[in-house]
Amino acid sequence: MPDSASRPHKGQSLWGGRFEQKPAELMQAINVSIGFDRRLAAQDLQGSRAHAAMLAKQGVIASEDAEAIHRGLDRIEAEIADGTFPYREEFEDIHMNVEARLAELIGEAAGRLHTARSRNDQVAVDFRLWVRQACDDTVRRLTALQRALLAKAEPHAATLMPGFTHLQPAQPVTFGHHLMAYVEMFGRDAGRFQDCRARLNESPLGAAALAGSPFPIDRDATAAALGFERPTANSLDSVSDRDFALEALAAASIAAVHLSRLAEEIVLWVTPQFGFVRLSDAFTTGSSIMPQKRNPDAAELVRAKIGRIFGALTSLTLVMKGLPLAYSKDMQEDKQPVFDAFDALWLALAAMAGMVADLEPVRERMAQAAGGGFSTATDLADWLVRRLNLPFRQAHHITGRAVKRAEDLGVDLGDLPLKELQAIEPQITSDVFEVLWPEASVTSRQSYGGTAPDQVRAQIARWKEKLK
């Protein structure tokens, strides 16, 4: 055990040799991060084990010291797991809390763990490990949501609903086709997190404070032990880079946009004015004063949580935008927004998967709305091109006049008498009515990726195979 002169006394920081007095209370308050960076405990232990093993193998520390360090880290891991680890603000962050506890458990050997390492590269590797795991976890959660969408889309591959542009009825589609649009979106989101993971998968451990280390360390060994593809190539960049966190937040923000769009549609769909879907009691709440209300609060809260994710990206971008190389204490503010953003994203993904599984379409209401707003007008124009060989612009003009006439008569396009259509274009025959109904419109959209039920089922099968 070290003598008392060489050990930090109670209230003295592990870095306190240069300082004669304790930090002011306000300095301690603004400096301490253990309240939030304790979430890096598992990663800190993982990095320390790899570092200690490498130091021993390279002959930098004795093997018996490395063994003692490993035993102490195992004890600390157990204490964290059972809730007895003594987190102390006087040691500022998770790294120094672990080191201080290690010194209490194994004595002098604990002081050898920090050889050839700085808190700068230590926190960089811990944070990369956390973000890497967060990317993997998010992909799994996105996949769960995609599976929920697939399960709901499959029985509704032919269920009619209106398709909208500008939130105005445009053309008939199917409910399954509409849900599959979100499967595509969330698939791209998963790809962004996978790309982010691939780019961040380099180990900064061994960059030390900013310039590297004079000890004969093996950075390839620690990178491999921690599951990284390679060590980072520049020690200055290693400790000052937070691109990986920014990229993860950017991917989270785009995923959040998609979640918010789907949440907004659910909010619209459950209104009496739309009446397209129903949500059960599981994902709705009531009113304290209006007993008839069923509010889509889960969807609204998903929509609202998105702001926290956008805010996290903005926050970290502003922290990083003016920092000279290499590390600055500003970067301590990197973790809270990332933790908060992923907590919000994961909750929103879970809630959305639950809502998708819970919601039930009101088929008759959606089918009725699918034919509204003269939604088969494009089908009439296409028929004029195919059957009468008219230029599309001429067909578009004729169709516009037909829509105006139907509107004047207060009927749907499919109910417009043949003589009225022939008054606009004499070549029109009764065959035209075969394409003026939503079912025919949907069935005709057989192009790859179209809304025809057979195409929808093909895309569902493709995604089910892809997500195996």
Side-chain angles (χ1 to χ4, degrees):
M1 293 289 288
D3 61 36
S4 59
S6 62
R7 282 182 292 150
H9 56 72
K10 183 173 178 56
Q12 181 185 7
S13 170
L14 293 179
W15 46 260
R18 169 68 175 81
F19 295 79
E20 296 180 353
Q21 297 179 341
K22 293 195 304 181
E25 288 186 13
L26 280 175
M27 178 61 203
Q28 179 71 1
I30 197 172
N31 194 45
V32 69
S33 62
I34 189 60
F36 56 85
D37 70 12
R38 66 175 62 188
R39 287 184 68 162
L40 297 176
Q43 290 76 22
D44 200 68
L45 296 173
Q46 187 180 358
S48 291
R49 288 187 177 108
H51 187 65
M54 179 275 295
L55 291 177
K57 185 175 181 181
Q58 295 298 108
V60 176
I61 65 173
S63 58
E64 55 267 28
D65 286 337
E67 291 169 4
I69 288 169
H70 281 287
R71 287 195 303 272
L73 294 175
D74 289 345
R75 171 76 178 275
I76 290 170
E77 183 176 48
E79 290 178 347
I80 290 171
D82 64 23
T84 60
F85 182 80
Y87 293 106
R88 288 171 285 188
E89 287 194 354
E90 65 195 87
F91 295 125
E92 299 178 18
D93 56 31
I94 186 61
H95 324 295
M96 296 180 75
N97 265 266
V98 168
E99 186 173 336
R101 181 59 177 152
L102 189 63
E104 292 172 353
L105 293 173
I106 68 170
E108 188 177 77
R112 302 190 186 280
L113 175 58
H114 211 55
T115 308
R117 184 175 75 168
S118 164
R119 276 194 295 175
N120 294 355
D121 64 334
Q122 189 177 358
V123 70
V125 75
D126 290 0
F127 200 23
R128 277 185 190 245
L129 288 169
W130 194 95
V131 173
R132 187 177 72 182
Q133 184 62 53
C135 288
D136 292 343
D137 290 346
T138 305
V139 170
R140 283 192 288 272
R141 287 170 165 86
L142 284 163
T143 300
L145 175 53
Q146 287 180 288
R147 289 193 174 117
L149 287 161
L150 287 170
K152 188 64 64 174
E154 191 163 23
H156 296 290
T159 299
L160 290 173
M161 72 173 291
F164 297 94
T165 61
H166 309 278
L167 204 56
Q168 301 295 314
Q171 292 178 312
V173 296
T174 73
F175 187 56
H177 188 57
H178 196 111
L179 295 179
M180 288 303 294
Y182 285 100
V183 173
E184 295 288 336
M185 292 183 211
F186 294 125
R188 293 194 297 273
D189 292 327
R192 273 182 278 272
F193 282 106
Q194 290 162 342
D195 289 346
C196 175
R197 188 200 197 281
R199 248 183 303 281
L200 71 79
N201 205 29
E202 297 181 347
S203 174
L205 191 58
L210 75 162
S213 172
F215 293 94
I217 61 173
D218 185 347
R219 294 191 63 209
D220 288 294
T222 51
L226 295 171
F228 290 110
E229 289 293 324
R230 63 190 69 84
T232 51
N234 182 283
S235 60
L236 284 167
D237 182 52
S238 300
V239 298
S240 61
D241 168 41
R242 292 298 183 270
D243 290 359
F244 62 92
L246 288 167
E247 187 173 357
L249 288 176
S253 295
I254 298 172
V257 169
H258 298 150
L259 283 168
S260 188
R261 294 181 74 179
L262 181 51
E264 172 67 10
E265 296 212 282
I266 292 173
V267 170
L268 289 173
W269 289 345
V270 299
T271 61
Q273 290 78 8
F274 276 77
F276 288 178
V277 302
R278 297 189 184 98
L279 283 173
S280 76
D281 294 352
F283 289 95
T284 56
T285 64
S287 165
S288 64
I289 189 173
M290 297 169 284
Q292 83 282 8
K293 294 293 294 298
R294 182 189 290 276
N295 300 321
D297 282 6
E300 291 172 1
L301 287 167
V302 166
R303 190 175 58 187
K305 290 209 177 275
I306 303 319
R308 301 176 71 158
I309 299 169
F310 294 166
L313 175 58
T314 301
S315 174
L316 185 53
T317 301
L318 291 173
V319 166
M320 298 300 299
K321 72 172 183 62
L323 298 185
L325 295 179
Y327 181 85
S328 296
K329 192 68 169 182
D330 311 50
M331 292 163 67
Q332 182 169 290
E333 295 296 310
D334 58 357
K335 288 169 280 298
Q336 276 181 296
V338 172
F339 294 158
D340 185 65
F342 276 97
D343 286 345
L345 179 62
W346 292 337
L347 182 57
L349 285 168
M352 186 57 73
M355 276 187 287
V356 168
D358 183 71
L359 64 83
E360 284 301 326
V362 183
R363 292 172 183 259
E364 60 279 9
R365 175 65 188 134
M366 289 202 297
Q368 179 187 12
F374 309 107
S375 64
T376 57
T378 306
D379 297 275
L380 172 56
D382 289 343
W383 185 90
L384 292 169
V385 171
R386 291 196 314 271
R387 296 293 293 271
L388 304 185
N389 199 30
L390 298 179
F392 183 80
R393 280 296 158 221
Q394 183 180 349
H396 186 285
H397 181 73
I398 291 169
T399 300
R401 292 177 60 195
V403 168
K404 179 65 169 62
R405 186 58 181 155
E407 191 173 44
D408 291 342
L409 295 175
V411 298
D412 290 333
L413 198 56
D415 292 322
L416 193 64
L418 178 61
K419 65 179 182 179
E420 296 286 350
L421 289 168
Q422 289 175 335
I424 299 169
E425 171 50 62
Q427 298 182 74
I428 293 176
T429 67
S430 60
D431 291 346
V432 74
F433 293 106
E434 295 175 2
V435 304
L436 296 184
W437 300 104
E439 294 88 344
S441 175
V442 162
T443 302
S444 73
R445 307 291 165 174
Q446 290 286 348
S447 57
Y448 180 81
T451 193
D454 288 346
Q455 285 294 323
V456 175
R457 294 185 185 102
Q459 294 300 325
I460 291 170
R462 179 177 73 87
W463 271 105
K464 287 172 74 173
E465 180 67 24
K466 189 173 181 179
L467 296 179
K468 278 184 179 179

